[in-house]
Amino acid sequence: MTASRGLVVVGASAAGVAAAEGLRRGGYDGPLTLVGGEPHLPYDRPPLSKQLLSGVWERERLRLRAPETYSDLGIELRLGVRATELDMAARRVRLADGTELTYSSLVLATGARARVLPGAQGLTGVYTLRTVEDALALRTALAARPHLVIVGGGFVGAEAAAVARGLGCEVTLVTDQQVPLADAVGAEVGTMLAEVHRERGVRIVTGSPVEEVIAEDGRAVGVRLADGRVLRAQAVLVGIGARPDTDWLTGSGLSLHHGIVCDSLLRAGDAVWAAGDVASWPDPVTGERLRIEHRTNASEQGMAVARNILAGPSATAFQTVPYVWSDQYDLKIQIYGGTRGADAVHIVEGSLKQRAFTAVYVRDGYVAAALGVGMIRQLRALRRLVTTRTPWDRARTSLPVTA
């Protein structure tokens, strides 16, 4: 069965919802369909490793919009069915249930999937944190206070470690880096955060990747490191990043390289646009090709795609200052800009010892990012330096730099 749906948005998370809502509120009054592979109403993902995992929130609080919002806006929801094929020549999307949707414009916002360790699929006691089912399953497991081994030293792993320790679990965090989170926040800040985790009872094993999950009778009982060491566990959380959900687009004619390759407008092909974790686009200022897996970026890109579809020839390049936050114990870490690849990190106010500070990250002589721990107002004042790519030599003259 083929149905004419006008505008179709594939992906019912933050980017897809922002695009659909932006189209409607921007004046589009034709048919509008939002397709999602999960059966739930669209929900927010950052709380999965924080409030939902800890039990502070229940799943209903994750909803991005109230249920009636979609009907009020005339957005048809097709949930619990994945898109399986795109035919750009015919402007048609095939769904897993055999339905085919034709479109005048298509927005691809399918996000990313959690990476898994080879051989770990299907084992009882192995978890990821990408969906609400993932978080609820791990929450149930943590209620028994198992020894949890976390594979991966990024934000998801660090947040889950904090929650698990708060629930009374024994926790071992394993990373192939010498310092957890060093690639995201730098070695100095990463070292400070690692100290916080150790003080709370987390065992941190660094410098050796996990080679495999060890199983007995179909259940995970630990992990084996590349150096031969074995870490026993009753539960294993794999937090080694995500990959763009683009497999279904193979053969579609779209350029797929570390995501859906777009131009600066977020246009991926004839009447096809992309937004969120799946979109790769050139920064209009630096020319650097970016793909950002942050919640705020997803919403911003969804709204930008909606504006550009409606703007036609007047569409404008997408530009952003990425923003990400992380809650670990009583610390709130916030970042504006891109910290990776920084040549230097300078503490502006506070100190690492106090665990309350702001810092700027300099790359190629410019302020590329600003990070704050517990200093929200002071950090916001530094955002302007990131937005304007202020040269560090000029910025430092007006800042109370302490290190």
Side-chain angles (χ1 to χ4, degrees), residues 118 136 163 207 223 265 350 366 381:
L136 291 175
V163 169
V223 298
L265 306 177
Y366 294 90

Side-chain angles (χ1 to χ4, degrees), residues 222-233:
V223 298
R224 179 177 286 108
L225 307 186
D227 61 13
R229 284 179 292 170
V230 172
L231 305 177
R232 306 294 289 186

Side-chain angles (χ1 to χ4, degrees), residues 280-355:
S280 168
W281 85 103
D283 183 276
V285 175
T286 66
E288 178 185 6
R289 184 158 289 276
L290 304 173
R291 189 180 69 82
I292 298 175
E293 295 179 6
H294 297 337
R295 166 66 170 81
T296 50
N297 179 74
S299 292
E300 289 176 356
Q301 286 194 335
M303 292 186 286
V305 163
R307 289 193 299 269
N308 282 345
I309 289 173
L310 298 174
S314 301
T316 57
F318 176 75
Q319 187 175 354
T320 186
V321 174
Y323 170 74
V324 64
W325 75 96
S326 178
D327 297 320
Q328 299 174 35
Y329 308 106
D330 55 349
L331 300 181
K332 178 173 283 294
I333 303 108
Q334 297 176 291
I335 303 172
Y336 290 109
T339 55
R340 297 178 190 272
D343 304 314
V345 180
H346 301 279
I347 304 300
V348 176
E349 293 184 74
S351 71
L352 292 167
K353 184 177 181 179
Q354 294 171 350
R355 293 171 181 171

Side-chain angles (χ1 to χ4, degrees), residues 100-172:
E100 294 181 342
L101 305 178
T102 60
Y103 60 84
S104 55
S105 287
L106 173 68
V107 180
L108 301 174
T110 45
R113 291 186 176 187
R115 296 184 184 277
V116 296
L117 289 169
Q121 299 93 327
L123 291 180
T124 302
V126 178
Y127 303 89
T128 56
L129 266 177
R130 192 69 192 181
T131 69
V132 67
E133 285 87 3
D134 292 341
L136 291 175
L138 181 58
R139 189 170 85 177
T140 298
L142 295 183
R145 297 185 179 178
H147 179 187
L148 174 68
V149 166
I150 300 174
V151 182
F155 283 124
V156 168
E159 290 167 359
V163 169
R165 284 300 298 145
L167 296 173
C169 301
E170 183 179 353
V171 178
T172 300

Side-chain angles (χ1 to χ4, degrees), residues 50-304:
K50 307 177 183 75
Q51 294 92 338
L52 187 67
L53 183 62
S54 67
V56 174
W57 288 8
E58 292 303 326
R59 62 193 301 169
E60 290 74 20
R61 286 195 64 177
L62 271 63
R63 289 175 177 168
L64 289 168
R65 302 290 184 273
E68 62 273 14
T69 299
Y70 304 99
S71 56
D72 290 347
L73 290 174
I75 298 172
E76 180 183 353
L77 294 177
R78 294 292 307 274
L79 303 178
V81 57
R82 288 183 59 83
T84 59
E85 184 181 349
L86 169 61
D87 183 340
M88 286 203 298
R91 293 195 177 186
R92 183 172 60 230
V93 175
R94 182 187 294 275
L95 306 184
D97 62 2
T99 303
E100 294 181 342
L101 305 178
T102 60
Y103 60 84
S104 55
S105 287
L106 173 68
V107 180
L108 301 174
T110 45
R113 291 186 176 187
R115 296 184 184 277
V116 296
L117 289 169
Q121 299 93 327
L123 291 180
T124 302
V126 178
Y127 303 89
T128 56
L129 266 177
R130 192 69 192 181
T131 69
V132 67
E133 285 87 3
D134 292 341
L136 291 175
L138 181 58
R139 189 170 85 177
T140 298
L142 295 183
R145 297 185 179 178
H147 179 187
L148 174 68
V149 166
I150 300 174
V151 182
F155 283 124
V156 168
E159 290 167 359
V163 169
R165 284 300 298 145
L167 296 173
C169 301
E170 183 179 353
V171 178
T172 300
L173 186 147
V174 186
T175 174
D176 58 356
Q177 301 179 71
Q178 293 301 320
V179 177
L181 285 168
D183 61 337
V185 299
E188 287 184 305
V189 178
T191 297
M192 182 274 291
L193 293 174
E195 289 173 354
V196 172
H197 281 281
R198 289 190 177 100
E199 289 171 6
R200 301 298 182 107
V202 177
R203 177 191 178 193
I204 300 177
V205 178
T206 63
S208 185
V210 170
E211 191 170 77
E212 64 175 335
V213 175
I214 302 171
E216 294 177 1
D217 299 323
R219 181 174 187 86
V221 295
V223 298
R224 179 177 286 108
L225 307 186
D227 61 13
R229 284 179 292 170
V230 172
L231 305 177
R232 306 294 289 186
Q234 285 96 41
V236 176
L237 171 61
V238 180
I240 55 175
R243 61 182 183 85
D245 190 357
T246 59
D247 290 352
W248 70 283
L249 294 169
T250 301
S252 66
L254 291 175
S255 178
L256 305 176
H257 180 68
H258 194 52
I260 299 172
V261 178
C262 306
D263 63 15
S264 62
L265 306 177
L266 300 176
R267 182 172 50 207
D270 180 30
V272 179
W273 307 73
D277 295 3
V278 79
S280 168
W281 85 103
D283 183 276
V285 175
T286 66
E288 178 185 6
R289 184 158 289 276
L290 304 173
R291 189 180 69 82
I292 298 175
E293 295 179 6
H294 297 337
R295 166 66 170 81
T296 50
N297 179 74
S299 292
E300 289 176 356
Q301 286 194 335
M303 292 186 286

